[in-house]
Amino acid sequence: MAHQPEEPERYVCEGCQAVYAGTAYAEDGGHSFEAPTECAACGSSSFVRFVQWTHHSSSET
């Protein structure tokens, strides 16, 4: 069986919509991912998971 690389979790900054790869932590042979603590572009500390961004951003209009 071939090894399939694990794709990192991505996060969208709510302040400026910059996209970040989550910080990876090893857990039980896999990885968990966390959003950055602060956006390097705008300083915001609010992030939404990339897969939830469309639903999140459309519910605010």
Side-chain angles (χ1 to χ4, degrees):
M1 178 186 254
H3 176 72
Q4 193 169 28
E6 188 172 358
E7 187 172 325
E9 185 73 48
R10 293 173 289 172
Y11 298 90
V12 179
C13 171
E14 288 191 69
C16 69
Q17 299 181 2
V19 178
Y20 290 87
T23 303
Y25 297 96
E27 277 187 1
D28 300 326
H31 293 94
S32 64
F33 298 94
E34 291 182 5
T37 55
E38 183 177 285
C39 177
C42 74
S44 175
S45 60
S46 296
F47 294 88
V48 176
R49 288 181 54 219
F50 187 84
V51 296
Q52 296 173 331
W53 177 251
T54 303
H55 176 72
H56 176 78
S57 64
S58 65
S59 67
E60 292 182 357
T61 57

